[in-house]
Amino acid sequence: MIIEIIKTIILGVIEGITEWLPVSSTGHLILAQEFIELNMSEDFCEMFDVVIQLGAILAVAAVFFNRLNPFSPKKTKTEKADTYALWVKVIVACLPAAVIGLLFDDILDEYLYNSTVVAFMLVIYGVIFIVVENHNRGKRPKFRSLESLPFSTAFMIGLFQVLALVPGTSRSGATIIGGLLIGCSRAVAAEFTFFLAIPVMFGASLLKLVKFGFDFSGSEFVILLVGMVTAFAVSVLAIKFLLSYIRGNDFKVFGWYRIALGIVVLVYFTFIE
């Protein structure tokens, strides 16, 4: 059991870092699980990969609690109205991915959840990050705060989030790219991506839990709890790091990293495994 907990902590660290940085948590977990395999049922492991994200969601709620809380007594009436509007923008942006995800969840898992697709998506979106940043160099962002983001633009960013249903794309990567292309500043694109994760990842986790059922053994419950707690703690650090990093840097380093990781994944599963 101790060995399984150590494995779970490692997987939680990987999830906590890669869920928020635009580098694809799926790509990292697929590679990591070649070397770190939980001694659990296949159904549990499939559910674990998704539900561990609940810890990451709670990290967003913790870091941005005041920003997301429309009932805060510290906020003025205008600030509370802005917070309600922000939640509506998040819900509007989540609709496309929610609809497509519910309709095609099983098909996507069956046909696209494989190392080849993940590797190519890592490389393709790595290149896109570099191209988009080069294209935007020297341009002043149109939207420099979430309050200035129109509902129509929020919905457009949500359309980009649909792309993340393809494994290896990265949910944060797809929405950040969408935000940058539409004219958001890096900070606005990143923050809106964090907030979009709350309903999307909660919905995906709930769906997997319902499919798996809630009849956990004692060891399964411990493994899931350890994974979520680890993902929560590491996610807090990852979110704060990214917000600090993009104040003075662009996303190109993540693009190059994705390309390198995609090549590693492709080579490993083609020639080594």
Side-chain angles (χ1 to χ4, degrees), residues 19 46-54 57 97-98 101-102 105 109 161 164-165 171 196-212:
E19 187 61 54
E46 181 183 339
M47 179 274 297
F48 174 85
D49 287 347
V50 177
V51 179
I52 193 177
Q53 297 172 345
L54 284 174
I57 296 172
L102 286 172
D105 179 63
D109 279 352
Q161 187 169 229
L165 294 173
R171 187 197 55 78
L196 286 184
I198 297 175
V200 169
M201 290 164 63
F202 181 81
S205 298
L206 182 61
L207 182 62
K208 288 295 182 184
L209 279 172
V210 170
K211 285 184 177 181
F212 179 79

PDB file of all heavy atoms in Angstrom, residues 19 46-54 57 97-98 101-102 105 109 161 164-165 171 196-212:
ATOM      1  N   GLU A  19      -1.737  20.327 -15.413  1.00  0.00           N
ATOM      2  CA  GLU A  19      -3.125  20.715 -15.675  1.00  0.00           C
ATOM      3  C   GLU A  19      -3.236  22.195 -15.989  1.00  0.00           C
ATOM      4  O   GLU A  19      -4.070  22.616 -16.787  1.00  0.00           O
ATOM      5  CB  GLU A  19      -4.006  20.374 -14.470  1.00  0.00           C
ATOM      6  CG  GLU A  19      -5.483  20.591 -14.723  1.00  0.00           C
ATOM      7  CD  GLU A  19      -6.018  19.727 -15.860  1.00  0.00           C
ATOM      8  OE1 GLU A  19      -5.832  18.500 -15.814  1.00  0.00           O
ATOM      9  OE2 GLU A  19      -6.639  20.297 -16.781  1.00  0.00           O
ATOM     10  N   GLU A  46      -8.809   4.401 -14.978  1.00  0.00           N
ATOM     11  CA  GLU A  46      -9.404   5.315 -15.956  1.00  0.00           C
ATOM     12  C   GLU A  46     -10.154   6.439 -15.252  1.00  0.00           C
ATOM     13  O   GLU A  46     -10.067   7.603 -15.632  1.00  0.00           O
ATOM     14  CB  GLU A  46     -10.358   4.546 -16.879  1.00  0.00           C
ATOM     15  CG  GLU A  46     -11.010   5.419 -17.946  1.00  0.00           C
ATOM     16  CD  GLU A  46     -11.998   4.657 -18.806  1.00  0.00           C
ATOM     17  OE1 GLU A  46     -11.906   3.412 -18.868  1.00  0.00           O
ATOM     18  OE2 GLU A  46     -12.862   5.304 -19.422  1.00  0.00           O
ATOM     19  N   MET A  47     -10.898   6.080 -14.204  1.00  0.00           N
ATOM     20  CA  MET A  47     -11.617   7.081 -13.425  1.00  0.00           C
ATOM     21  C   MET A  47     -10.647   7.978 -12.668  1.00  0.00           C
ATOM     22  O   MET A  47     -10.814   9.198 -12.609  1.00  0.00           O
ATOM     23  CB  MET A  47     -12.570   6.368 -12.462  1.00  0.00           C
ATOM     24  CG  MET A  47     -13.388   7.280 -11.550  1.00  0.00           C
ATOM     25  SD  MET A  47     -12.512   7.726 -10.028  1.00  0.00           S
ATOM     26  CE  MET A  47     -12.308   6.128  -9.251  1.00  0.00           C
ATOM     27  N   PHE A  48      -9.608   7.406 -12.090  1.00  0.00           N
ATOM     28  CA  PHE A  48      -8.620   8.144 -11.304  1.00  0.00           C
ATOM     29  C   PHE A  48      -7.979   9.262 -12.131  1.00  0.00           C
ATOM     30  O   PHE A  48      -7.795  10.383 -11.643  1.00  0.00           O
ATOM     31  CB  PHE A  48      -7.541   7.177 -10.816  1.00  0.00           C
ATOM     32  CG  PHE A  48      -6.380   7.842 -10.113  1.00  0.00           C
ATOM     33  CD1 PHE A  48      -6.443   8.130  -8.763  1.00  0.00           C
ATOM     34  CD2 PHE A  48      -5.219   8.168 -10.814  1.00  0.00           C
ATOM     35  CE1 PHE A  48      -5.377   8.746  -8.112  1.00  0.00           C
ATOM     36  CE2 PHE A  48      -4.159   8.782 -10.176  1.00  0.00           C
ATOM     37  CZ  PHE A  48      -4.232   9.073  -8.819  1.00  0.00           C
ATOM     38  N   ASP A  49      -7.639   8.970 -13.399  1.00  0.00           N
ATOM     39  CA  ASP A  49      -6.977   9.951 -14.254  1.00  0.00           C
ATOM     40  C   ASP A  49      -7.807  11.223 -14.413  1.00  0.00           C
ATOM     41  O   ASP A  49      -7.260  12.315 -14.614  1.00  0.00           O
ATOM     42  CB  ASP A  49      -6.704   9.366 -15.649  1.00  0.00           C
ATOM     43  CG  ASP A  49      -5.581   8.349 -15.621  1.00  0.00           C
ATOM     44  OD1 ASP A  49      -4.859   8.279 -14.607  1.00  0.00           O
ATOM     45  OD2 ASP A  49      -5.420   7.624 -16.625  1.00  0.00           O
ATOM     46  N   VAL A  50      -9.123  11.095 -14.328  1.00  0.00           N
ATOM     47  CA  VAL A  50     -10.014  12.246 -14.499  1.00  0.00           C
ATOM     48  C   VAL A  50     -10.379  12.875 -13.164  1.00  0.00           C
ATOM     49  O   VAL A  50     -10.294  14.092 -12.983  1.00  0.00           O
ATOM     50  CB  VAL A  50     -11.298  11.835 -15.257  1.00  0.00           C
ATOM     51  CG1 VAL A  50     -12.262  13.023 -15.364  1.00  0.00           C
ATOM     52  CG2 VAL A  50     -10.949  11.318 -16.650  1.00  0.00           C
ATOM     53  N   VAL A  51     -10.744  12.044 -12.194  1.00  0.00           N
ATOM     54  CA  VAL A  51     -11.270  12.556 -10.923  1.00  0.00           C
ATOM     55  C   VAL A  51     -10.182  13.201 -10.071  1.00  0.00           C
ATOM     56  O   VAL A  51     -10.480  14.067  -9.233  1.00  0.00           O
ATOM     57  CB  VAL A  51     -11.991  11.429 -10.149  1.00  0.00           C
ATOM     58  CG1 VAL A  51     -12.514  11.921  -8.810  1.00  0.00           C
ATOM     59  CG2 VAL A  51     -13.145  10.893 -10.991  1.00  0.00           C
ATOM     60  N   ILE A  52      -8.934  12.834 -10.295  1.00  0.00           N
ATOM     61  CA  ILE A  52      -7.838  13.494  -9.579  1.00  0.00           C
ATOM     62  C   ILE A  52      -7.843  15.004  -9.840  1.00  0.00           C
ATOM     63  O   ILE A  52      -7.337  15.800  -9.052  1.00  0.00           O
ATOM     64  CB  ILE A  52      -6.485  12.869  -9.999  1.00  0.00           C
ATOM     65  CG1 ILE A  52      -5.365  13.312  -9.051  1.00  0.00           C
ATOM     66  CG2 ILE A  52      -6.144  13.227 -11.435  1.00  0.00           C
ATOM     67  CD1 ILE A  52      -4.031  12.672  -9.386  1.00  0.00           C
ATOM     68  N   GLN A  53      -8.502  15.390 -10.948  1.00  0.00           N
ATOM     69  CA  GLN A  53      -8.580  16.810 -11.302  1.00  0.00           C
ATOM     70  C   GLN A  53      -9.421  17.616 -10.325  1.00  0.00           C
ATOM     71  O   GLN A  53      -9.318  18.840 -10.288  1.00  0.00           O
ATOM     72  CB  GLN A  53      -9.164  16.958 -12.716  1.00  0.00           C
ATOM     73  CG  GLN A  53      -8.316  16.341 -13.807  1.00  0.00           C
ATOM     74  CD  GLN A  53      -9.016  16.342 -15.155  1.00  0.00           C
ATOM     75  OE1 GLN A  53     -10.230  16.546 -15.243  1.00  0.00           O
ATOM     76  NE2 GLN A  53      -8.258  16.117 -16.209  1.00  0.00           N
ATOM     77  N   LEU A  54     -10.249  16.946  -9.529  1.00  0.00           N
ATOM     78  CA  LEU A  54     -11.046  17.671  -8.541  1.00  0.00           C
ATOM     79  C   LEU A  54     -10.146  18.441  -7.573  1.00  0.00           C
ATOM     80  O   LEU A  54     -10.486  19.538  -7.123  1.00  0.00           O
ATOM     81  CB  LEU A  54     -11.942  16.706  -7.765  1.00  0.00           C
ATOM     82  CG  LEU A  54     -13.184  16.185  -8.494  1.00  0.00           C
ATOM     83  CD1 LEU A  54     -13.886  15.136  -7.650  1.00  0.00           C
ATOM     84  CD2 LEU A  54     -14.131  17.327  -8.820  1.00  0.00           C
ATOM     85  N   ILE A  57      -9.193  21.579  -9.290  1.00  0.00           N
ATOM     86  CA  ILE A  57     -10.298  22.547  -9.306  1.00  0.00           C
ATOM     87  C   ILE A  57     -10.355  23.316  -7.993  1.00  0.00           C
ATOM     88  O   ILE A  57     -10.527  24.542  -7.969  1.00  0.00           O
ATOM     89  CB  ILE A  57     -11.644  21.825  -9.528  1.00  0.00           C
ATOM     90  CG1 ILE A  57     -11.682  21.154 -10.894  1.00  0.00           C
ATOM     91  CG2 ILE A  57     -12.809  22.809  -9.412  1.00  0.00           C
ATOM     92  CD1 ILE A  57     -12.903  20.285 -11.084  1.00  0.00           C
ATOM     93  N   ALA A  97     -18.141  22.870 -25.159  1.00  0.00           N
ATOM     94  CA  ALA A  97     -17.401  21.673 -24.742  1.00  0.00           C
ATOM     95  C   ALA A  97     -18.294  20.722 -23.958  1.00  0.00           C
ATOM     96  O   ALA A  97     -18.151  19.487 -24.070  1.00  0.00           O
ATOM     97  CB  ALA A  97     -16.192  22.070 -23.898  1.00  0.00           C
ATOM     98  N   ALA A  98     -19.219  21.259 -23.159  1.00  0.00           N
ATOM     99  CA  ALA A  98     -20.115  20.406 -22.379  1.00  0.00           C
ATOM    100  C   ALA A  98     -21.012  19.586 -23.296  1.00  0.00           C
ATOM    101  O   ALA A  98     -21.178  18.377 -23.103  1.00  0.00           O
ATOM    102  CB  ALA A  98     -20.967  21.263 -21.441  1.00  0.00           C
ATOM    103  N   GLY A 101     -18.785  17.165 -25.429  1.00  0.00           N
ATOM    104  CA  GLY A 101     -18.199  16.163 -24.549  1.00  0.00           C
ATOM    105  C   GLY A 101     -19.201  15.102 -24.123  1.00  0.00           C
ATOM    106  O   GLY A 101     -18.905  13.907 -24.127  1.00  0.00           O
ATOM    107  N   LEU A 102     -20.420  15.524 -23.762  1.00  0.00           N
ATOM    108  CA  LEU A 102     -21.448  14.570 -23.350  1.00  0.00           C
ATOM    109  C   LEU A 102     -21.876  13.666 -24.499  1.00  0.00           C
ATOM    110  O   LEU A 102     -22.127  12.474 -24.322  1.00  0.00           O
ATOM    111  CB  LEU A 102     -22.667  15.323 -22.798  1.00  0.00           C
ATOM    112  CG  LEU A 102     -22.506  15.944 -21.407  1.00  0.00           C
ATOM    113  CD1 LEU A 102     -23.711  16.818 -21.071  1.00  0.00           C
ATOM    114  CD2 LEU A 102     -22.353  14.847 -20.357  1.00  0.00           C
ATOM    115  N   ASP A 105     -18.259  11.513 -25.626  1.00  0.00           N
ATOM    116  CA  ASP A 105     -17.255  11.115 -24.635  1.00  0.00           C
ATOM    117  C   ASP A 105     -16.710   9.716 -24.908  1.00  0.00           C
ATOM    118  O   ASP A 105     -15.498   9.502 -24.943  1.00  0.00           O
ATOM    119  CB  ASP A 105     -17.856  11.182 -23.222  1.00  0.00           C
ATOM    120  CG  ASP A 105     -16.866  10.761 -22.154  1.00  0.00           C
ATOM    121  OD1 ASP A 105     -15.840  11.441 -22.001  1.00  0.00           O
ATOM    122  OD2 ASP A 105     -17.115   9.741 -21.482  1.00  0.00           O
ATOM    123  N   ASP A 109     -12.865   8.703 -26.265  1.00  0.00           N
ATOM    124  CA  ASP A 109     -12.010   7.815 -25.470  1.00  0.00           C
ATOM    125  C   ASP A 109     -11.553   6.605 -26.274  1.00  0.00           C
ATOM    126  O   ASP A 109     -10.400   6.180 -26.205  1.00  0.00           O
ATOM    127  CB  ASP A 109     -12.751   7.343 -24.213  1.00  0.00           C
ATOM    128  CG  ASP A 109     -12.708   8.376 -23.094  1.00  0.00           C
ATOM    129  OD1 ASP A 109     -11.974   9.376 -23.244  1.00  0.00           O
ATOM    130  OD2 ASP A 109     -13.413   8.196 -22.091  1.00  0.00           O
ATOM    131  N   GLN A 161     -12.106  25.695 -26.628  1.00  0.00           N
ATOM    132  CA  GLN A 161     -12.000  24.677 -25.600  1.00  0.00           C
ATOM    133  C   GLN A 161     -12.472  23.312 -26.120  1.00  0.00           C
ATOM    134  O   GLN A 161     -12.026  22.271 -25.635  1.00  0.00           O
ATOM    135  CB  GLN A 161     -12.818  25.071 -24.369  1.00  0.00           C
ATOM    136  CG  GLN A 161     -12.632  24.139 -23.194  1.00  0.00           C
ATOM    137  CD  GLN A 161     -13.239  24.682 -21.919  1.00  0.00           C
ATOM    138  OE1 GLN A 161     -12.592  24.707 -20.881  1.00  0.00           O
ATOM    139  NE2 GLN A 161     -14.469  25.120 -21.970  1.00  0.00           N
ATOM    140  N   ALA A 164      -9.874  20.857 -27.085  1.00  0.00           N
ATOM    141  CA  ALA A 164      -9.162  20.144 -26.026  1.00  0.00           C
ATOM    142  C   ALA A 164      -9.767  18.784 -25.727  1.00  0.00           C
ATOM    143  O   ALA A 164      -9.191  18.006 -24.961  1.00  0.00           O
ATOM    144  CB  ALA A 164      -9.145  20.987 -24.750  1.00  0.00           C
ATOM    145  N   LEU A 165     -10.912  18.460 -26.333  1.00  0.00           N
ATOM    146  CA  LEU A 165     -11.478  17.126 -26.178  1.00  0.00           C
ATOM    147  C   LEU A 165     -10.608  16.076 -26.859  1.00  0.00           C
ATOM    148  O   LEU A 165     -10.707  14.890 -26.566  1.00  0.00           O
ATOM    149  CB  LEU A 165     -12.904  17.082 -26.747  1.00  0.00           C
ATOM    150  CG  LEU A 165     -13.940  17.949 -25.992  1.00  0.00           C
ATOM    151  CD1 LEU A 165     -15.259  17.953 -26.735  1.00  0.00           C
ATOM    152  CD2 LEU A 165     -14.132  17.444 -24.567  1.00  0.00           C
ATOM    153  N   ARG A 171      -6.338  21.396 -22.405  1.00  0.00           N
ATOM    154  CA  ARG A 171      -7.470  22.302 -22.242  1.00  0.00           C
ATOM    155  C   ARG A 171      -6.996  23.724 -22.041  1.00  0.00           C
ATOM    156  O   ARG A 171      -7.488  24.653 -22.664  1.00  0.00           O
ATOM    157  CB  ARG A 171      -8.323  21.834 -21.050  1.00  0.00           C
ATOM    158  CG  ARG A 171      -9.631  22.592 -20.884  1.00  0.00           C
ATOM    159  CD  ARG A 171     -10.186  22.370 -19.490  1.00  0.00           C
ATOM    160  NE  ARG A 171      -9.181  22.738 -18.510  1.00  0.00           N
ATOM    161  CZ  ARG A 171      -8.897  23.991 -18.172  1.00  0.00           C
ATOM    162  NH1 ARG A 171      -9.527  24.997 -18.755  1.00  0.00           N
ATOM    163  NH2 ARG A 171      -7.969  24.257 -17.276  1.00  0.00           N
ATOM    164  N   LEU A 196     -12.637  28.649 -16.441  1.00  0.00           N
ATOM    165  CA  LEU A 196     -13.372  27.703 -17.279  1.00  0.00           C
ATOM    166  C   LEU A 196     -13.210  26.273 -16.779  1.00  0.00           C
ATOM    167  O   LEU A 196     -14.084  25.430 -16.977  1.00  0.00           O
ATOM    168  CB  LEU A 196     -12.876  27.770 -18.730  1.00  0.00           C
ATOM    169  CG  LEU A 196     -13.268  28.977 -19.576  1.00  0.00           C
ATOM    170  CD1 LEU A 196     -12.765  28.795 -20.998  1.00  0.00           C
ATOM    171  CD2 LEU A 196     -14.755  29.181 -19.571  1.00  0.00           C
ATOM    172  N   ALA A 197     -12.085  26.006 -16.144  1.00  0.00           N
ATOM    173  CA  ALA A 197     -11.803  24.645 -15.688  1.00  0.00           C
ATOM    174  C   ALA A 197     -12.784  24.186 -14.615  1.00  0.00           C
ATOM    175  O   ALA A 197     -13.044  22.987 -14.486  1.00  0.00           O
ATOM    176  CB  ALA A 197     -10.375  24.578 -15.136  1.00  0.00           C
ATOM    177  N   ILE A 198     -13.344  25.116 -13.855  1.00  0.00           N
ATOM    178  CA  ILE A 198     -14.174  24.717 -12.712  1.00  0.00           C
ATOM    179  C   ILE A 198     -15.386  23.904 -13.154  1.00  0.00           C
ATOM    180  O   ILE A 198     -15.530  22.744 -12.751  1.00  0.00           O
ATOM    181  CB  ILE A 198     -14.582  25.953 -11.881  1.00  0.00           C
ATOM    182  CG1 ILE A 198     -13.336  26.620 -11.288  1.00  0.00           C
ATOM    183  CG2 ILE A 198     -15.559  25.552 -10.773  1.00  0.00           C
ATOM    184  CD1 ILE A 198     -13.627  27.915 -10.553  1.00  0.00           C
ATOM    185  N   PRO A 199     -16.271  24.446 -14.004  1.00  0.00           N
ATOM    186  CA  PRO A 199     -17.423  23.612 -14.414  1.00  0.00           C
ATOM    187  C   PRO A 199     -17.039  22.471 -15.341  1.00  0.00           C
ATOM    188  O   PRO A 199     -17.616  21.380 -15.252  1.00  0.00           O
ATOM    189  CB  PRO A 199     -18.347  24.618 -15.126  1.00  0.00           C
ATOM    190  CG  PRO A 199     -17.476  25.753 -15.514  1.00  0.00           C
ATOM    191  CD  PRO A 199     -16.391  25.827 -14.500  1.00  0.00           C
ATOM    192  N   VAL A 200     -16.048  22.687 -16.225  1.00  0.00           N
ATOM    193  CA  VAL A 200     -15.672  21.644 -17.184  1.00  0.00           C
ATOM    194  C   VAL A 200     -15.077  20.429 -16.479  1.00  0.00           C
ATOM    195  O   VAL A 200     -15.484  19.283 -16.706  1.00  0.00           O
ATOM    196  CB  VAL A 200     -14.666  22.195 -18.225  1.00  0.00           C
ATOM    197  CG1 VAL A 200     -14.074  21.066 -19.058  1.00  0.00           C
ATOM    198  CG2 VAL A 200     -15.349  23.204 -19.139  1.00  0.00           C
ATOM    199  N   MET A 201     -14.095  20.672 -15.617  1.00  0.00           N
ATOM    200  CA  MET A 201     -13.424  19.557 -14.944  1.00  0.00           C
ATOM    201  C   MET A 201     -14.327  18.917 -13.886  1.00  0.00           C
ATOM    202  O   MET A 201     -14.282  17.707 -13.665  1.00  0.00           O
ATOM    203  CB  MET A 201     -12.114  20.037 -14.332  1.00  0.00           C
ATOM    204  CG  MET A 201     -11.064  20.374 -15.386  1.00  0.00           C
ATOM    205  SD  MET A 201      -9.684  21.381 -14.756  1.00  0.00           S
ATOM    206  CE  MET A 201      -8.984  20.263 -13.559  1.00  0.00           C
ATOM    207  N   PHE A 202     -15.156  19.725 -13.230  1.00  0.00           N
ATOM    208  CA  PHE A 202     -16.098  19.163 -12.261  1.00  0.00           C
ATOM    209  C   PHE A 202     -17.093  18.258 -12.983  1.00  0.00           C
ATOM    210  O   PHE A 202     -17.396  17.150 -12.513  1.00  0.00           O
ATOM    211  CB  PHE A 202     -16.843  20.278 -11.530  1.00  0.00           C
ATOM    212  CG  PHE A 202     -17.818  19.762 -10.509  1.00  0.00           C
ATOM    213  CD1 PHE A 202     -17.385  19.372  -9.255  1.00  0.00           C
ATOM    214  CD2 PHE A 202     -19.168  19.658 -10.807  1.00  0.00           C
ATOM    215  CE1 PHE A 202     -18.277  18.885  -8.309  1.00  0.00           C
ATOM    216  CE2 PHE A 202     -20.073  19.160  -9.875  1.00  0.00           C
ATOM    217  CZ  PHE A 202     -19.620  18.782  -8.622  1.00  0.00           C
ATOM    218  N   GLY A 203     -17.586  18.711 -14.141  1.00  0.00           N
ATOM    219  CA  GLY A 203     -18.533  17.909 -14.916  1.00  0.00           C
ATOM    220  C   GLY A 203     -17.915  16.613 -15.403  1.00  0.00           C
ATOM    221  O   GLY A 203     -18.532  15.540 -15.323  1.00  0.00           O
ATOM    222  N   ALA A 204     -16.676  16.701 -15.911  1.00  0.00           N
ATOM    223  CA  ALA A 204     -15.992  15.509 -16.407  1.00  0.00           C
ATOM    224  C   ALA A 204     -15.740  14.520 -15.273  1.00  0.00           C
ATOM    225  O   ALA A 204     -15.908  13.304 -15.437  1.00  0.00           O
ATOM    226  CB  ALA A 204     -14.669  15.907 -17.065  1.00  0.00           C
ATOM    227  N   SER A 205     -15.348  15.040 -14.107  1.00  0.00           N
ATOM    228  CA  SER A 205     -15.089  14.170 -12.952  1.00  0.00           C
ATOM    229  C   SER A 205     -16.373  13.495 -12.476  1.00  0.00           C
ATOM    230  O   SER A 205     -16.383  12.299 -12.167  1.00  0.00           O
ATOM    231  CB  SER A 205     -14.473  14.984 -11.812  1.00  0.00           C
ATOM    232  OG  SER A 205     -13.243  15.538 -12.194  1.00  0.00           O
ATOM    233  N   LEU A 206     -17.463  14.255 -12.426  1.00  0.00           N
ATOM    234  CA  LEU A 206     -18.743  13.701 -11.995  1.00  0.00           C
ATOM    235  C   LEU A 206     -19.206  12.605 -12.948  1.00  0.00           C
ATOM    236  O   LEU A 206     -19.701  11.551 -12.522  1.00  0.00           O
ATOM    237  CB  LEU A 206     -19.795  14.812 -11.906  1.00  0.00           C
ATOM    238  CG  LEU A 206     -21.191  14.389 -11.424  1.00  0.00           C
ATOM    239  CD1 LEU A 206     -21.104  13.823 -10.010  1.00  0.00           C
ATOM    240  CD2 LEU A 206     -22.150  15.569 -11.477  1.00  0.00           C
ATOM    241  N   LEU A 207     -19.022  12.838 -14.252  1.00  0.00           N
ATOM    242  CA  LEU A 207     -19.409  11.847 -15.258  1.00  0.00           C
ATOM    243  C   LEU A 207     -18.639  10.545 -15.068  1.00  0.00           C
ATOM    244  O   LEU A 207     -19.221   9.449 -15.121  1.00  0.00           O
ATOM    245  CB  LEU A 207     -19.162  12.416 -16.656  1.00  0.00           C
ATOM    246  CG  LEU A 207     -19.551  11.528 -17.845  1.00  0.00           C
ATOM    247  CD1 LEU A 207     -21.052  11.250 -17.834  1.00  0.00           C
ATOM    248  CD2 LEU A 207     -19.153  12.196 -19.166  1.00  0.00           C
ATOM    249  N   LYS A 208     -17.327  10.646 -14.829  1.00  0.00           N
ATOM    250  CA  LYS A 208     -16.513   9.448 -14.624  1.00  0.00           C
ATOM    251  C   LYS A 208     -16.898   8.736 -13.332  1.00  0.00           C
ATOM    252  O   LYS A 208     -16.912   7.496 -13.277  1.00  0.00           O
ATOM    253  CB  LYS A 208     -15.030   9.824 -14.590  1.00  0.00           C
ATOM    254  CG  LYS A 208     -14.452  10.229 -15.943  1.00  0.00           C
ATOM    255  CD  LYS A 208     -14.455   9.079 -16.927  1.00  0.00           C
ATOM    256  CE  LYS A 208     -13.821   9.489 -18.252  1.00  0.00           C
ATOM    257  NZ  LYS A 208     -13.893   8.398 -19.257  1.00  0.00           N
ATOM    258  N   LEU A 209     -17.210   9.505 -12.283  1.00  0.00           N
ATOM    259  CA  LEU A 209     -17.616   8.898 -11.014  1.00  0.00           C
ATOM    260  C   LEU A 209     -18.928   8.140 -11.158  1.00  0.00           C
ATOM    261  O   LEU A 209     -19.097   7.047 -10.615  1.00  0.00           O
ATOM    262  CB  LEU A 209     -17.752   9.974  -9.933  1.00  0.00           C
ATOM    263  CG  LEU A 209     -16.456  10.438  -9.261  1.00  0.00           C
ATOM    264  CD1 LEU A 209     -16.732  11.640  -8.365  1.00  0.00           C
ATOM    265  CD2 LEU A 209     -15.829   9.304  -8.456  1.00  0.00           C
ATOM    266  N   VAL A 210     -19.856   8.731 -11.901  1.00  0.00           N
ATOM    267  CA  VAL A 210     -21.155   8.078 -12.119  1.00  0.00           C
ATOM    268  C   VAL A 210     -20.962   6.781 -12.903  1.00  0.00           C
ATOM    269  O   VAL A 210     -21.563   5.747 -12.585  1.00  0.00           O
ATOM    270  CB  VAL A 210     -22.115   9.025 -12.861  1.00  0.00           C
ATOM    271  CG1 VAL A 210     -23.363   8.270 -13.311  1.00  0.00           C
ATOM    272  CG2 VAL A 210     -22.504  10.192 -11.963  1.00  0.00           C
ATOM    273  N   LYS A 211     -20.103   6.830 -13.923  1.00  0.00           N
ATOM    274  CA  LYS A 211     -19.843   5.626 -14.727  1.00  0.00           C
ATOM    275  C   LYS A 211     -19.161   4.544 -13.895  1.00  0.00           C
ATOM    276  O   LYS A 211     -19.456   3.362 -14.044  1.00  0.00           O
ATOM    277  CB  LYS A 211     -18.968   5.982 -15.936  1.00  0.00           C
ATOM    278  CG  LYS A 211     -19.704   6.722 -17.037  1.00  0.00           C
ATOM    279  CD  LYS A 211     -18.792   6.936 -18.234  1.00  0.00           C
ATOM    280  CE  LYS A 211     -19.530   7.606 -19.375  1.00  0.00           C
ATOM    281  NZ  LYS A 211     -18.670   7.802 -20.567  1.00  0.00           N
ATOM    282  N   PHE A 212     -18.244   4.964 -13.031  1.00  0.00           N
ATOM    283  CA  PHE A 212     -17.521   3.997 -12.206  1.00  0.00           C
ATOM    284  C   PHE A 212     -18.396   3.471 -11.079  1.00  0.00           C
ATOM    285  O   PHE A 212     -18.303   2.309 -10.680  1.00  0.00           O
ATOM    286  CB  PHE A 212     -16.257   4.650 -11.628  1.00  0.00           C
ATOM    287  CG  PHE A 212     -15.449   3.748 -10.733  1.00  0.00           C
ATOM    288  CD1 PHE A 212     -14.601   2.795 -11.278  1.00  0.00           C
ATOM    289  CD2 PHE A 212     -15.550   3.841  -9.351  1.00  0.00           C
ATOM    290  CE1 PHE A 212     -13.851   1.959 -10.460  1.00  0.00           C
ATOM    291  CE2 PHE A 212     -14.806   3.004  -8.524  1.00  0.00           C
ATOM    292  CZ  PHE A 212     -13.952   2.059  -9.085  1.00  0.00           C
TER     293      PHE A 212
END
